């Protein structure tokens, strides 16, 4: 097997061998896991339209490629990265949110499943990527309950909601729930080489049990 800078627990590799059809597929999985994750952003339409954002940032020479499942989402490539993306004026003023393309998909699925949404509960909201995306889809109308279990993450959630101009947050009866539930970490190995250092079959089973105990249901009515 090819050497990898990522840490793969032995039990994890055994499980992947069972799930994949052959050794070549496992090699391909390991190879793609080592590739850097593409940086992406989402235009915050609460403050600016996509067209105006593209016109405003044209001077930077950013290469923006549309994310197919999110009209406001773009993969971004920059030749000049001397200034961190999070430090540019447009980010600091809340005109866009640095968000992984895969993270944009759950909100799209939520609104595709139930188009008439006036109240949403985001149960694991920090740092606020999905909460702010929901608010933009709702155009700051209706009600969002953004709940975060971890007290240490509430401050950054509040900061991002404020920066993005979200104003429709309250506690009430809800029409739909968006839950980015606790997971076993396989989905982030391309951006975090240590993501699987604490991975075991036991912890994965425990997380699955937590999801079952929470009584999670399909988004479709």
């Amino acid at each position: 097997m090819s050497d990898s800078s990522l840490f793969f627990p032995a039990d994890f590799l055994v499980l992947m061998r069972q799930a994949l059809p052959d050794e070549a597929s496992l090699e391909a999985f390991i190879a793609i896991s080592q590739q850097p994750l593409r940086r992406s952003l989402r235009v915050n339409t609460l403050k600016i339209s996509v067209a105006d954002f593209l016109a405003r940032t044209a001077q930077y020479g950013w290469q923006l490629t549309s994310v197919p499942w999110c009209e406001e989402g773009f993969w971004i490539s920059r030749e000049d990265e001397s200034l961190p993306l999070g430090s540019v004026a447009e980010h600091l003023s809340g005109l866009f949110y640095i968000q992984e393309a895969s993270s944009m998909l759950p909100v799209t699925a939520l609104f595709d499943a139930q188009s008439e949404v006036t109240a949403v509960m985001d149960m694991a909201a920090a740092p606020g990527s999905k909460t702010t995306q929901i608010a933009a889809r709702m155009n700051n109308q209706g009600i969002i309950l953004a709940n975060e279990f971890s007290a240490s993450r509430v401050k950054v959630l509040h900061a991002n909601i404020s920066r993005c101009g979200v104003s429709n947050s309250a506690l009430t009866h809800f029409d739909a729930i968006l839950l980015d539930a606790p997971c076993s970490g396989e989905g982030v190995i391309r951006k975090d080489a240590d993501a699987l250092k604490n991975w075991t079959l036991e912890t994965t089973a425990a997380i699955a049990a937590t999801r079952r105990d929470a009584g999670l249901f399909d988004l479709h009515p």
Side-chain angles (χ1 to χ4, degrees), residues 90-91 127 206:
E90 288 77 10
H91 180 265

Side-chain angles (χ1 to χ4, degrees), residues 25 30 45 48-49 79 118 134 159 171 190 213:
S25 297
I30 291 175
T45 54
I48 192 171
S49 69
E79 292 185 2
T118 59
I134 293 168
L171 175 62
R190 291 175 63 188
D213 292 342

Side-chain angles (χ1 to χ4, degrees), residues 34-101:
Q34 297 179 75
Q35 296 179 10
L37 190 64
R38 298 172 70 185
R39 176 65 67 90
S40 53
L41 61 83
R42 176 179 50 79
V43 178
N44 178 22
T45 54
L46 291 177
K47 290 193 170 184
I48 192 171
S49 69
V50 171
D52 287 345
F53 176 82
L54 295 178
R56 175 172 177 146
T57 58
Q59 60 180 319
Y60 298 142
W62 295 350
Q63 296 179 13
L64 297 172
T65 305
S66 296
V67 173
W69 49 86
C70 179
E71 294 181 358
E72 303 80 28
F74 296 89
W75 284 291
I76 178 172
S77 176
R78 300 188 300 157
E79 292 185 2
D80 181 8
E81 297 192 358
S82 57
L83 181 66
L85 189 59
S87 296
V88 302
E90 288 77 10
H91 180 265
L92 295 175
S93 59
L95 300 187
F96 73 90
Y97 194 107
I98 301 172
Q99 182 176 355
E100 292 181 21

Side-chain angles (χ1 to χ4, degrees), residues 150-173:
S150 174
S152 63
R153 290 162 58 87
V154 171
K155 184 178 292 186
V156 68
L157 172 63
H158 179 268
N160 282 325
I161 286 177
S162 298
R163 180 175 59 83
C164 291
V166 175
S167 60
N168 60 336
S169 298
L171 175 62
T172 188
H173 176 72

Side-chain angles (χ1 to χ4, degrees), residues 183-197:
C183 67
S184 48
E186 294 96 329
V188 297
I189 57 178
R190 291 175 63 188
K191 71 171 182 177
D192 183 1
D194 296 329
L196 297 180
K197 282 195 173 179

Side-chain angles (χ1 to χ4, degrees), residues 5 22 27 35 80 84 91 94 96 108 126 158 184 201 211 217:
S5 59
D22 50 42
E27 290 280 357
Q35 296 179 10
D80 181 8
H91 180 265
F96 73 90
T108 300
H158 179 268
S184 48
L201 290 172
R211 290 187 172 199
F217 297 97

